[in-house]
Amino acid sequence: MRISIIGCGYVGLVTGGCLAAVGHRVTCMDSDGERVRGLMGGHIPIYEPHLDELVAAARGEGRIEFVGDIRLAVENADAIFICVGTPPLENGEADLSAIEMVARGIATQSRGSKLVIEKSTVPVRTGEQLRRALQVYGRASDARFQVVSNPEFLREGSSVCDFLHPDRIVVGVDEPPAAEKMREIYRPILERNFNCPVHRGACPPSDAPHFVVTSINSSELIKHASNSFLALKISYANQLADLCERLGGDIEEVTRAMGMDPRIGPQFLRAGIGFGGFCFPKDIQAFYRLAERAGVDFMLLKEAERINKERIDHFLEKAKRALWVLKGKQVAVLGLAFKPHTDDTRFAPALEIIRRLLAEGASVHAYDPQAMRKTQALYPAVHYCLDAYESATGADALLLLTEWPEFVELDWKRIHGLMVRPLLLDGRNLLVPAKMRELGFEYHSVGRPD
Ligand code: UGA
């Protein structure tokens, strides 16, 4: 089956790269000419572990190509994955204009039968609109379209592994043959029949993925419902952390024991400065807007969002309590990305914290292993450092804002010696409090006893 991907953002590149890695021939299209030229020259515009090796290998074997013209992506394809962005509008709803534009392009350039797969995160009922747009704009041709919803559950930083070793593949269809075509596309992954570029033949044992066939509306709901539930879990842990701080308890001890109950599960209970990224903050908003329009007041989601926003105020209050005045203070920041193993800073809590520190007159000396290039354009006033040690030199406080594993390995004794005042605020509960205090730090974290 010949596969095309429309949209070479993060989801498109991971989808295209992984489908090529499991043996398909893939054409990736993007309307951004510069991005396409870069990709043709082997430049992957995002940092995502394993993605560059995967794409380079597929290019070497002639299984992936990059084009800028939608006609080239559509004419020979049997299956077309729509992976364009659906950014938030001012009112929180998803902007679907890119999807509509792509639908028009597919409709006018197609001949024969095409499977059109909605991979972008979209509100429920987008499939219906997509089908209508394909029919309306394709009425002059002999093209026939089967629309499928196939949400992605990839996590940035581990998306290649997530794509190749999913727990479930959800396909929303309104005719069974479309589901069979999707099963064909995913067969190497369902049967684990590919050379895994991540584990190189030594994939850890796990259950075979579920292949879940639903209606298109249910499939679209599954995506939003899953992301929102995970966001709820995080906000629950964060609110519990507040309670631990007030009443004397340790959030790590509480969530650890809670997570041992398989009905609760240990994941997404890490308290800290809140969730960021391009998915949870926008998806939770889009989901409650959608519910509102359907006449359902999904207050639970609004609360989760409110609790999340409060994290930053709460953390900065702690910083202020310790520092007294922020104006004129030198603050070291470790971590800019919204989570480790990515260079993505969209809706990153670290950036909002930096914005407020600068507004209050502090000077910020920041370091992140991957995300500095993307932050520089947004925050030119920040002093970007070569490493954590440079950022700590002369600092009145150090704020740890992304839990990169390499931060655990830093020589903290050396950092202590470099700082003017050894005040450490750990927004991700990454470090061991007793160890930091033993080194002489005044150490504060989230929901753990000070
Ligand atoms: C999220 C979902 O986990 C994916 O399943 C989904 O496919 C993706 O959104 C998407 O819709 O594209 P992602 O945003 O890449 O993935 O990252 P997560 O690992 O979910 O983390 C999101 C945010 O929550 C990060 O800021 C992270 O630091 C925060 N988080 C996560 C916590 O604060 N506590 C936790 O316990 C877990």
Side-chain angles (χ1 to χ4, degrees), residues 11 38 88 92 109 117-118 173 175 228 239 249 259-260 296 298 333 345 379 383-384 387 389 411:
V11 173
Q109 302 297 335
I117 305 143
E118 158 197 290
V173 295
E175 40 186 334
S228 297
Q239 192 94 87
M260 288 171 184
V296 175
F298 214 150
V333 164
T345 56
Y379 291 95
H383 180 84
Y384 294 92
D387 58 24
Y389 304 107
D411 180 347

Side-chain angles (χ1 to χ4, degrees), residues 121 152-156 223 227 230 234 268-270 274-276 279-280 283 338-339 403 428:
T121 298
E152 55 88 10
F153 303 107
L154 312 173
R155 291 161 303 171
E156 288 188 34
K223 167 69 188 186
N227 270 9
L230 294 171
I234 299 169
F268 283 73
L269 286 175
R270 275 192 342 268
F275 56 78
C279 302
F280 287 175
D283 288 0
F338 82 99
K339 62 182 281 191
E403 67 276 34
R428 300 291 190 170

Side-chain angles (χ1 to χ4, degrees), residues 348-410:
L351 294 200
E352 179 56 16
I353 289 172
I354 288 176
R355 192 187 66 74
R356 299 214 208 160
L357 290 172
L358 292 172
E360 296 230 16
S363 77
V364 175
H365 290 217
Y367 171 73
D368 185 286
Q370 293 294 338
M372 293 207 287
R373 196 179 50 82
K374 289 200 172 154
T375 317
Q376 260 157 355
L378 291 170
Y379 291 95
V382 170
H383 180 84
Y384 294 92
C385 302
L386 286 175
D387 58 24
Y389 304 107
E390 189 193 331
S391 85
T393 305
D396 296 289
L398 187 148
L399 272 45
L400 202 160
L401 303 181
T402 314
E403 67 276 34
W404 284 93
E406 63 191 79
F407 291 161
V408 180
E409 307 304 327
L410 289 170

